Amino acid sequence: MESQKSPILITGAAGNVGSEVVRLLHEAGENVRAAVVSEAEASRLPAGVAWVRFDFTDPATFPDAFAGVARLFLMRPPHIAQVRRDMKPAIDYAAAAGVQQIVFLSLLGAEKNRFVPHAKVEALLAESGVPTTLLRCGFFMQNLSTTHRQDISENDDIFIPAGDGKTAFIDVRDIAAVAAKTLTEPGHNGKAYPLTGSEALDYGTVAKLLTTALNRSIGYSHPHFLRFAWRLWRRGFPLSYVTVVTAIYLTTRFGLAETVTPDTAVLLNRPPISMQQFIADYAPVWQ
Ligand SMILES: NC(=O)c1ccc[n+]([C@@H]2O[C@H](COP(=O)([O-])OP(=O)(O)OC[C@H]3O[C@@H](n4cnc5c(N)ncnc54)[C@H](OP(=O)(O)O)[C@@H]3O)[C@@H](O)[C@H]2O)c1
């Protein structure tokens, strides 16, 4: 009973998924502790949410962050490639501090690809002995409103090297809803959920949906992967991030991102958010 009242620590609390997890748990009256890298991020949290400074690479931030915590929402910051060096200390600290459940934001197919950083985090979690719930997610719809926003709003173009490969996109709001559920009800320890939306779409179709919703022509130029990597790198994304994102889009090209899973709908007891709904909700981002 006591553990139900202890704070739930949310890492990446100002990020795409974490910010939604914070919002949902806070609105549900849960005791949320938002982990942020800097005070500036804390100002973007909903009013009344408790926050703590936390940096995976700074062990001095661990004692305050993990004090009294029984449940942890764990995400890997996209630029962290050396997970054993940069994330193991925090995972080990969490285990020693008595954390009883870790819900980890992982990647669809991580169990089949031991080279992606998410697979390495999953291995560290298994080593830690803390019961885990793995949310293995497909491509976020929100990649279109963040990483690819500039190309769409300034060039009317989806600049992604995925060919005609289809993607079973998922809205981060659905991932957050699953995370909130698995953190607050029993029965999810030891489970791994492959999470996607309800349909697989190619980027040509996404371009048509954007064209209809935004009332201007949006194209899909599917560039060579080297041109794509070069553009991301020139925009200031770290090399480790550029490499992982480019490699993931190459796997999409060969059809590895098209499998639709039923888990999101089963866990949420409703259909996942559709691409049309996502575009309607985020339309101002591309104006
Ligand atoms: N995009 C996809 O399609 C997709 C699909 C499946 C899985 N994933 C995985 O989802 C994760 C990204 O989730 P997201 O999009 O919600 O994240 P995000 O929006 O990119 O945010 C990353 C968060 O991590 C924080 N952070 C950065 N460095 C940190 C550090 N040293 N210690 C602690 N926190 C730090 C950031 O804080 P600052 O803002 O201060 O930097 C930010 O809040 C990645 O592991 C990615 O591989 C992504």
Side-chain angles (χ1 to χ4, degrees), residues 11-19 35-38 41 44 54-58 61 73 75-80 86 104-108 117-118 135-143 146-147 169-170 172 175 241 244-245 248-249:
T11 60
N16 294 312
V17 182
S19 60
V36 294
V37 179
S38 68
E41 284 177 60
R44 302 206 304 269
F54 171 76
D55 186 333
F56 283 106
T57 61
D58 180 3
T61 64
F73 175 75
M75 57 79 61
R76 175 196 67 94
H79 70 278
I80 289 188
D86 293 335
F104 174 54
L105 175 61
S106 190
L107 179 71
L108 196 64
H118 313 76
L135 309 184
R136 294 187 177 134
C137 305
F139 280 75
F140 299 172
M141 293 179 185
Q142 279 77 0
N143 294 338
T146 55
T147 314
F169 294 96
I170 183 165
V172 300
I175 300 171
Y241 175 84
V244 170
V245 172
I248 286 174
Y249 280 131

Side-chain angles (χ1 to χ4, degrees), residues 144-166:
L144 297 164
S145 57
T146 55
T147 314
H148 306 298
R149 184 200 60 77
Q150 191 178 345
D151 295 313
I152 296 169
S153 44
E154 293 178 9
N155 305 333
D156 294 334
D157 180 36
I158 301 179
F159 191 82
I160 289 175
D164 296 327
K166 289 187 175 176

